[in-house]
Amino acid sequence: GRWLGGRPPYGYLIADLGPHSNPSKAASGARLHQLAPDPLTAPVVLRIYDLYLSGAGYKQIATVLTHEGIPCPSAHDRIRNSHRSGHAWAMSAVRTILGNPRYLGYHVSGRTKKADILLDPDAPALGHVTRQQWQERAEWVTASVQTYEAIVDEMTWRQVAALIAANARTKA
């Protein structure tokens, strides 16, 4: 259930769990961390799910949150997002929140993998670039037990996931 690093998902903050369990790491000041619901942004995550279930789309949800003056993810955490403008909610931020299984309280790994892509398939000697690519959902590894407090209940998350899948099929 420990958070090993990186930016926490919107709606969560990194909570201190105390000294590291490894005595040598604890002696050097290392501490354990875990995700905990952020009292300011966790209710916004719930609201996004509720709005989507009531029929609002990504753009409409982003517009409502922006007009109500609710800081978008990059505005909420300016220190970690100084490279973003933070002036308004984006449809992509809403879509990312709705599709993130971490809001169920389970640690999920393997959502992306590194892939080496040739710069020119006809001239392999030119080299390659390494990119992160999304894995198929079947390739994701989800913890078998909840590792931190959920923001969204299982039924709501599954309803939203089914709606997203149905909407994706109708637009293809």
Side-chain angles (χ1 to χ4, degrees):
R2 296 188 324 219
W3 183 252
L4 299 178
R7 185 181 315 180
Y10 181 80
Y12 284 104
L13 49 81
I14 299 173
D16 185 8
L17 290 179
H20 200 283
S21 54
N22 180 326
S24 63
K25 290 185 178 185
S28 67
R31 308 206 40 95
L32 297 176
H33 300 99
Q34 184 177 30
L35 292 180
D38 182 343
L40 296 175
T41 58
V44 178
V45 171
L46 277 173
R47 180 135 183 260
I48 290 169
Y49 276 81
D50 290 341
L51 286 168
Y52 193 77
L53 283 177
S54 69
Y58 303 140
K59 185 175 184 178
Q60 185 179 4
I61 294 169
T63 302
V64 166
L65 296 174
T66 299
H67 284 303
E68 290 180 1
I70 297 171
C72 63
S74 57
H76 173 71
D77 189 358
R78 292 305 301 154
I79 294 169
R80 286 196 169 110
N81 295 292
S82 59
H83 61 291
R84 300 190 186 274
S85 68
H87 68 278
W89 277 84
M91 290 177 6
S92 59
V94 172
R95 183 179 59 241
T96 299
I97 288 169
L98 290 170
N100 192 341
R102 288 189 189 270
Y103 293 114
L104 291 169
Y106 294 92
H107 179 73
V108 180
S109 61
R111 292 172 62 187
T112 61
K113 69 175 180 177
K114 288 184 181 179
D116 293 330
I117 302 166
L118 290 172
L119 291 171
D120 184 353
D122 296 328
L126 291 176
H128 66 275
V129 293
T130 303
R131 303 254 191 245
Q132 289 290 110
Q133 292 183 336
W134 284 101
Q135 297 257 68
E136 293 294 323
R137 195 171 284 262
E139 300 294 319
W140 296 1
V141 179
T142 304
S144 57
V145 295
Q146 258 188 336
T147 51
Y148 43 86
E149 189 178 337
I151 293 177
V152 178
D153 65 86
E154 184 95 21
M155 188 173 81
T156 301
W157 198 87
R158 291 199 185 282
Q159 287 173 334
V160 165
L163 271 175
I164 290 171
N167 288 338
R169 281 193 295 273
T170 59
K171 292 180 179 164

